[in-house]
Amino acid sequence: MPQHHPAPARICPNCDGFASVVITTGGRDHTGQRTTITAHCLACRGTGTRPARTVAVTRA
């Protein structure tokens, strides 16, 4: 009997699946912890995957 496998996730071509990153600013806060900011991929909105492209069908 054949095994059914789900389709592989479509990885975002802009971030290669690494959708969110934490970047250190180089400074430290009053407790000594490094100051960081979080950046999300704008193309996939931080999910790491892209939806399938839809083709618009127009009728003349």
Side-chain angles (χ1 to χ4, degrees):
M1 203 182 299
Q3 297 289 325
H4 297 285
H5 297 286
R10 292 178 177 89
I11 296 176
C12 175
N14 293 345
C15 64
D16 288 331
F18 295 97
S20 297
V21 295
V22 178
I23 303 166
T24 180
T25 61
R28 294 188 181 263
D29 63 7
H30 67 281
T31 62
Q33 298 292 322
R34 291 186 185 264
T35 306
T36 59
I37 57 172
T38 304
H40 299 287
C41 176
L42 297 176
C44 64
R45 295 186 180 99
T47 62
T49 59
R50 295 288 302 265
R53 291 186 180 193
T54 57
V55 178
V57 177
T58 58
R59 296 183 183 195

